[in-house]
Amino acid sequence: MRKLIIVGSGPAGYTAAIYAARGGLAPLVIASSVEAGGELMNTTEVENFPGFPEGIQGPELMTKMQEQAERFGAEIVYDDVVGVDLGGMVKKVVLGSGKEYEADALIYATGSAPRKLGLDGESRLSGRGVSYCATCDGFFFRERVIAVVGGGDSALEEATFLTKFASKVYVIHRRDELRASKIMQERAFANEKIEFVWNSAVADILGQDAVTGVVLEDTVDGSRRELALEGVFVAIGNDPRTRLVTGVLETTSAGTVWVDGRSSRTSVPGVFAAGDVIDPIYRQAVTAAGSGTVAALDVEHYLAALGEAGEPDATADQIEGLPAL
């Protein structure tokens, strides 16, 4: 029986693990068998995380967070949670390996997953020219003409990174202006390998065994045309990973897990949430890390009220009524 289980190993999960481990809770972190470290493992240079004036590679940052959590006593398990039982006072998780773990509290920090276009060609050609990760697959597109779909920071970051390999990178955006930050726009506009395709949506992805092009639909007049290329990188946003807790935890209209005010408390006592799975707006590594801190501190208060930290036992009403931090 553990005091705390943390599901997720991105900035929120590992920061929660650091704080919880330093607080003597010896958390168990379920990190995933294939996606340990979260979305930053697919990111190139991170320039806006405090403490790294020269920037740091996403995977390196996550490795440092993991090492810091382990230094204070967190245990990392590389497996996938396939089921949860959160209704009682004891929280239980079931892993893909068949192992089960129980704890007094659980932090749900599963992050978000790349959003898809929802096209038949996209699913058919996934891994055959369609990708959601420039750092994972960019090397395979040396001297090829490719496209990035999207208009935010992630799309421009991917496009800029891909110019290291591709001969030309189209950025396909459904509007005539970008959502990305000013600095990301300036870099992309200054890159001679990047060409913007405005007011265009991808209506289909062409090719049988590999991508040969896309069908573009003009978002102004509805006309269609084909654009020849050899790769498509989709960067149109992310959706919170709430599959495990659908129908168990209350969610918001944005599809994220609902939390009480500025706290990490969910609709189920003893279950807390942090990171992108609760944040449809900011979705930054530093804000995810901050919410991981909140979750760990909320857990400490919760366990103290349960008597786990040497405090008197509390009633359920007292536990649910803990003040927001």
Side-chain angles (χ1 to χ4, degrees):
M1 180 74 168
R2 309 270 179 155
K3 291 183 178 180
L4 173 63
I5 292 173
I6 300 172
V7 181
S9 57
Y14 277 146
T15 303
I18 291 167
Y19 272 77
R22 287 188 75 248
L25 301 184
L28 174 69
V29 180
I30 312 298
S32 172
S33 61
V34 294
E35 297 179 327
E39 289 300 303
L40 280 187
M41 296 298 287
N42 301 326
T43 302
T44 52
E45 191 168 20
V46 179
E47 297 180 316
N48 53 7
F49 199 90
F52 299 94
E54 304 302 322
I56 184 171
Q57 295 292 304
E60 183 183 0
L61 177 60
M62 298 319 302
T63 297
K64 288 181 178 294
M65 285 189 177
Q66 175 188 335
E67 291 173 348
Q68 190 172 359
E70 290 178 311
R71 173 193 168 198
F72 292 118
E75 179 183 352
I76 315 296
V77 172
Y78 297 99
D79 205 338
D80 300 301
V81 177
V82 296
V84 295
D85 183 356
L86 307 176
M89 292 296 291
V90 175
K91 315 304 175 185
K92 183 170 73 174
V93 298
V94 181
L95 305 186
S97 62
K99 289 186 178 181
E100 298 182 0
Y101 292 96
E102 295 181 340
D104 293 309
L106 181 140
I107 294 176
Y108 193 72
T110 50
S112 58
R115 190 172 297 153
K116 297 185 177 182
L117 297 168
L119 304 172
D120 290 340
E122 177 186 20
S123 56
R124 184 181 71 253
L125 295 168
S126 180
R128 300 179 181 181
V130 174
S131 175
Y132 305 89
C133 176
T135 55
C136 305
D137 301 327
F139 177 82
F140 301 108
F141 293 85
R142 287 187 176 277
E143 299 305 317
R144 297 187 181 184
V145 177
I146 60 178
V148 174
V149 184
D153 276 356
S154 295
L156 295 195
E157 180 183 6
E158 297 228 330
T160 302
F161 175 78
L162 288 167
T163 59
K164 297 179 181 180
F165 308 101
S167 60
K168 186 179 189 61
V169 179
Y170 290 104
V171 175
I172 302 170
H173 187 44
R174 58 185 308 111
R175 289 184 284 274
D176 59 0
E177 59 182 5
L178 300 168
R179 304 186 313 273
S181 60
K182 183 178 180 180
I183 188 170
M184 294 302 296
Q185 292 192 43
E186 289 174 349
R187 289 176 182 173
F189 289 139
N191 194 311
E192 61 183 14
K193 284 189 175 183
I194 295 177
E195 179 178 333
F196 287 86
V197 182
W198 303 106
N199 295 320
S200 298
V202 177
D204 198 5
I205 299 176
L206 305 174
Q208 279 300 117
D209 299 319
V211 171
T212 60
V214 294
V215 176
L216 298 179
E217 180 175 297
D218 191 297
T219 57
V220 177
D221 62 22
S223 61
R224 291 193 173 194
R225 65 185 179 94
E226 292 186 8
L227 178 66
L229 43 81
E230 298 170 275
V232 178
F233 287 78
V234 181
I236 57 173
N238 295 69
D239 292 313
R241 300 176 190 267
T242 57
R243 178 183 59 82
L244 288 169
V245 295
T246 300
V248 178
L249 300 181
E250 184 178 338
T251 56
T252 70
S253 59
T256 54
V257 173
W258 175 89
V259 291
D260 183 13
R262 294 185 63 190
S263 81
S264 65
R265 296 191 300 272
T266 70
S267 56
V268 175
V271 179
F272 305 83
D276 284 2
V277 79
I278 69 170
D279 177 13
I281 300 174
Y282 300 106
R283 298 188 58 257
Q284 299 295 308
V286 67
T287 53
S291 76
T293 302
V294 170
L297 296 177
D298 283 348
V299 167
E300 289 185 15
H301 284 290
Y302 174 80
L303 294 179
L306 285 178
E308 292 293 329
E311 297 290 333
D313 288 338
T315 66
D317 288 342
Q318 288 174 310
I319 294 168
E320 293 178 3
L322 285 172
L325 295 179

